[in-house]
């Protein structure tokens, strides 16, 4: 099952009031749905844009509590690193370039610090693994991989990027 909502980390006690109002209802519904399946789940994968959450003490407390309860119940957790975030929407930057406007797409710096903190927290729990795919060659020249554009905006992969990302994740899961 994939249970997600915009701006949300679908874990119990997530501080929903901190995210944009338009996302709160869907986030609460996703958390409620996830809680119905969590008791019987043996493996859980958590992914998020950590740079939007890592500075919230309430989020960190909720995340630690989720990891602790998952460990106590014997669940195996995989926590995905956030993919590198760009300084701007890649589609908008490409349009600017075609209009002759100077534009440069760079990797934004905040995501790495957020990933580091989340990785350190996850490392405290033996049942949890941090999947550090943000370091794979796919992102070496983001937003491109070779000649292929792999991002659809500043922080989402497009279909090509998602397929390449899934291939790297599958290799890790098979190990």
């Amino acid at each position: 099952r994939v249970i997600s909502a915009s701006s949300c980390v679908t874990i119990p006690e997530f501080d929903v009031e901190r995210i944009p109002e338009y996302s709160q209802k869907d986030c609460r519904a996703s958390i409620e749905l996830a809680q119905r399946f969590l008791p019987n789940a043996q493996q859980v994968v958590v992914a998020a844009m950590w740079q939007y959450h890592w500075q919230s003490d309430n989020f960190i407390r909720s995340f630690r509590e989720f990891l602790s309860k998952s460990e106590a119940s014997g669940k195996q957790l995989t926590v995905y690193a956030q993919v590198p975030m760009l300084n701007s929407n890649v589609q908008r930057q490409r349009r600017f370039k075609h209009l002759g406007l100077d534009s440069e797409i760079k990797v934004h710096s905040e995501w790495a610090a957020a990933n580091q903190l989340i990785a350190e927290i996850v490392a405290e729990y033996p049942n949890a693994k941090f999947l550090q795919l943000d370091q794979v060659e796919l992102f070496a020249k983001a937003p491109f991989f070779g000649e292929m554009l792999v991002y659809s905006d500043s922080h989402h992969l497009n279909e090509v990027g998602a397929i390449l990302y899934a291939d790297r994740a599958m290799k890790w899961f098979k190990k």
Side-chain angles (χ1 to χ4, degrees):
R1 300 198 191 294
V2 176
I3 303 172
S4 68
S6 179
S7 304
C8 183
V9 183
T10 311
I11 60 172
E13 308 304 320
F14 175 72
D15 49 342
V16 175
E17 63 284 345
R18 188 177 44 79
I19 64 174
E21 190 173 326
Y22 62 82
S23 297
Q24 291 179 10
K25 181 179 177 186
D26 289 340
C27 183
R28 284 186 179 95
S30 292
I31 292 168
E32 184 178 315
L33 180 62
Q35 286 181 309
R36 293 195 336 228
F37 293 102
L38 276 173
N40 296 321
Q42 294 176 349
Q43 295 185 3
V44 177
V45 176
V46 179
M49 181 168 275
W50 303 118
Q51 80 182 62
Y52 288 150
H53 305 294
W54 72 301
Q55 294 180 0
S56 165
D57 291 337
N58 289 335
F59 169 73
I60 296 299
R61 181 192 46 74
S62 298
F63 187 59
R64 285 182 181 279
E65 187 174 320
F66 174 73
L67 292 170
S68 180
K69 286 181 178 178
S70 295
E71 181 176 25
S73 65
K75 294 181 191 337
Q76 293 299 307
L77 292 176
T78 302
V79 177
Y80 276 72
Q82 174 184 326
V83 299
M85 183 157 171
L86 306 174
N87 65 334
S88 182
N89 181 311
V90 68
Q91 298 300 336
R92 189 171 296 128
Q93 290 294 330
R94 291 182 74 188
R95 285 187 206 110
F96 290 161
K97 189 173 183 177
H98 286 295
L99 291 171
L101 301 172
D102 188 27
S103 65
E104 185 177 359
I105 302 169
K106 295 181 181 178
V107 174
H108 195 285
S109 60
E110 285 184 24
W111 64 273
N115 275 350
Q116 181 64 37
L117 174 68
I118 298 299
E120 289 170 5
I121 293 170
V122 169
E124 297 171 18
Y125 300 87
N127 67 312
K129 303 287 182 234
F130 189 71
L131 185 52
Q132 192 89 32
L133 290 178
D134 61 321
Q135 303 296 317
V136 298
E137 82 288 352
L138 173 61
F139 299 113
K141 302 213 184 262
F144 295 95
F145 179 65
E147 297 295 316
M148 297 178 290
L149 180 65
V150 295
Y151 279 77
S152 63
D153 60 18
S154 64
H155 57 284
H156 290 102
L157 299 176
N158 62 20
E159 185 176 1
V160 171
I163 290 168
L164 292 168
Y165 184 84
D167 179 60
R168 274 97 186 137
M170 191 56 65
K171 289 175 185 172
W172 184 86
F173 276 103
K174 286 182 179 180
K175 287 181 188 178

